[in-house]
Amino acid sequence: MARDTGTEALTHLAEDRVDHRFKGLPPDAVGLTVAELAGQRRNLFTDGFTTPVLALSAERLAHNLALMETYAARHGLAFAPHGKTSMAPQLFHRQIEHGAWGITLAVPHQVWVARAFGIERIFLANELVDPAALRRIADDLAADPDFRFVCYVDSVRGVELMDAALCGAARPVDVVVELAAGEGARTGVRTEAECAAVADAVAATATLRLVGVAGYEGEVPRADHERVTAYLRRLTALAAGLDKDGRFAGAEEIVVSAGGSAWFDAVAEVFAELPALSLPVLRLLRSGAYVSHDDGHYRRLTPFARVPGEGALEPAFRLWAQVVSRPSPEQAFANAGKRDAAHDLDLPEAQVVRRDGTERPASGVSVTGLSDQHAWLRTEAEADLEVGDWVGFGLSHPCTSFDKWQLIPVAEADGTVVDYIRTFF
């Protein structure tokens, strides 16, 4: 049932009509359905797209999906990529087609989006204490026996609030104890003794079922390989200790989960050391930024750079903007700014310039700042840049790239647009 619902919902996306909601699309496409526009296979550069326009590389997207599928399989990991990166149901389904166990999310709204598109397994990497949201989860679990939902608990108080909200629920909600990545880290229980107290609180309810442990190694203070692996070994030791004490009674498998996009090689390394437990273990990796990768933050930190034999992710985003002002030989302005480009970690990177159908490197061009709708460009002596030129920018941090665009063209290397990705933020 849910699978059909997901298929129908994706079909409805394709039936949506192009209008003022969507940036960068050709003005003469207004009124077409998204499917009709995709069927025209327009060219990003010559068929009416307006700047700024964000595009995903069809080839690089496919490469990244396939690479993480083989990585997870090679290391014996289940995979629930963090969907908050894209909030794009089409990509959720492509990730599942490439072997993902399910999708990781962070807040209730994201869960409702995923459920609307037929996602059957959801890992909520957050404690959920909102009564209305919990009742909605309980209703979904009661209505759909195939729906699997797991979320964090990180306090006795949180357990009490969840239990009160779920009173009378037909199915218990599966929870994992979140172990904090250290003092000063984000959420999570700080000590193993406190973890045991939270586990005891869960065991005292009829509405929750403890099924494992989880954490986020990206929050380890002053993260390096030694500190990250030390934290992950605390996490696996916590799983083993809780299992030894019989705290997973009633579970069908034990979930051990971690994995951001910077240290998933360390997750694979430490999870491989996990000893046999009393139940099958779901070693669940949650890295999500891989789907588009980036030209900044994750390019520098990717585990594939540390272990080249594993392959390499490829940055799949490119933001195209047009030079609209050239006030001096040292300065130019393009018509894309904070509303269009990720900028929370790194500024965009000027990569290529297009003029009269010819593309060349953006030599001597760099971004020095962003206004709301302008990129400030420094131009060195070798820069060949004129008003009207298109500039292609690489972006940092996919988590704040997807959220600025509701409908993103997927373009092949020659500019042919073959699909459009809808986002829900």
Side-chain angles (χ1 to χ4, degrees):
M1 177 183 67
R3 185 176 296 110
D4 293 340
T5 301
T7 301
E8 291 169 4
L10 291 175
T11 299
H12 290 323
L13 281 186
E15 294 169 349
D16 201 3
R17 294 199 177 273
V18 174
D19 59 22
H20 60 275
R21 292 169 294 169
F22 308 127
K23 300 190 292 186
L25 302 188
D28 65 354
V30 170
L32 295 176
T33 67
V34 173
E36 288 169 342
L37 181 57
Q40 292 180 356
R41 295 177 64 87
R42 296 199 187 194
N43 188 279
L44 189 70
F45 308 113
T46 61
D47 287 330
F49 288 85
T50 61
T51 57
V53 59
L54 180 69
L56 268 171
S57 163
E59 296 88 352
R60 292 184 172 197
L61 177 61
H63 167 84
N64 292 344
L65 288 165
L67 182 63
M68 283 301 287
E69 178 182 18
T70 58
Y71 180 87
R74 185 161 56 245
H75 291 281
L77 299 169
F79 188 35
H82 218 313
K84 72 174 178 62
T85 300
S86 70
M87 282 309 297
Q90 293 148 286
L91 296 182
F92 294 173
H93 280 272
R94 289 189 66 176
Q95 289 169 310
I96 289 170
E97 289 165 4
H98 280 274
W101 171 91
I103 299 296
T104 296
L105 297 164
V107 294
H109 159 72
Q110 296 169 356
V111 176
W112 314 152
V113 172
R115 291 296 290 157
F117 288 89
I119 301 302
E120 290 280 45
R121 291 174 175 170
I122 293 174
F123 187 97
L124 190 75
N126 217 342
E127 186 168 59
L128 181 58
V129 295
D130 181 272
L134 285 162
R135 287 192 290 268
R136 164 72 184 271
I137 294 295
D139 289 345
D140 273 12
L141 287 167
D144 183 357
D146 294 326
F147 179 33
R148 177 85 189 275
F149 178 82
V150 181
C151 71
Y152 284 177
V153 286
D154 84 342
S155 67
V156 171
R157 171 64 173 162
V159 170
E160 293 170 349
L161 291 171
M162 295 179 74
D163 183 44
L166 292 167
C167 181
R171 288 172 60 187
V173 170
D174 287 347
V175 295
V176 291
V177 176
E178 182 194 9
L179 178 67
E183 289 301 322
R186 198 165 58 191
T187 55
V189 184
R190 263 40 183 180
T191 69
E192 280 74 3
E194 291 173 297
C195 288
V198 171
D200 287 340
V202 171
T205 75
T207 58
L208 303 176
R209 180 174 69 160
L210 188 67
V211 298
V213 301
Y216 175 45
E217 74 290 342
E219 283 290 315
V220 170
R222 303 181 307 282
D224 57 21
H225 184 266
E226 182 179 0
R227 291 186 178 93
V228 167
T229 54
Y231 162 70
L232 291 168
R233 289 190 176 105
R234 277 188 67 201
L235 184 67
T236 55
L238 174 64
L242 292 174
D243 182 49
K244 182 179 179 181
D245 293 341
R247 297 181 188 274
F248 300 126
E252 298 163 3
E253 63 184 358
I254 297 170
V255 178
V256 183
S257 179
S261 294
W263 292 100
F264 57 78
D265 56 332
V267 175
E269 174 189 338
V270 174
F271 279 16
E273 302 169 355
L274 191 65
L277 302 181
S278 65
L279 294 168
V281 177
L282 184 73
R283 296 168 171 83
L284 192 63
L285 183 69
R286 305 193 307 271
S287 312
Y290 82 97
V291 68
S292 62
H293 197 42
D294 76 351
D295 277 296
H297 181 70
Y298 289 118
R299 180 182 62 189
R300 295 190 298 270
L301 294 175
T302 176
F304 290 124
R306 293 191 290 270
V307 191
E310 297 278 15
L313 293 168
E314 297 177 353
F317 268 138
R318 182 162 281 171
L319 175 66
W320 291 96
Q322 201 164 18
V323 178
V324 293
S325 181
R326 190 79 159 94
S328 75
E330 296 80 27
Q331 195 173 41
F333 292 86
N335 64 344
K338 294 178 182 178
R339 309 299 185 203
D340 314 297
H343 57 89
D344 58 322
L345 294 180
D346 299 288
L347 290 170
E349 176 184 278
Q351 295 178 332
V352 295
V353 176
R354 286 186 66 91
R355 182 188 303 160
D356 300 327
T358 300
E359 191 171 301
R360 52 186 166 73
S363 302
V365 181
S366 59
V367 180
T368 60
L370 294 176
S371 298
D372 284 352
Q373 300 294 171
H374 290 93
W376 295 58
L377 307 181
R378 177 186 295 120
T379 51
E380 308 296 340
E382 70 269 28
D384 178 11
L385 203 62
E386 297 179 355
V387 170
D389 289 348
W390 281 39
V391 182
F393 296 94
L395 300 179
S396 175
H397 204 196
C399 294
T400 55
S401 296
F402 280 100
D403 65 349
K404 294 171 173 40
W405 296 82
Q406 291 187 56
L407 195 63
I408 304 172
V410 179
E412 294 179 340
D414 66 357
T416 301
V417 177
V418 296
D419 199 2
Y420 295 84
I421 299 296
R422 182 67 186 272
T423 65
F424 292 84
F425 282 95

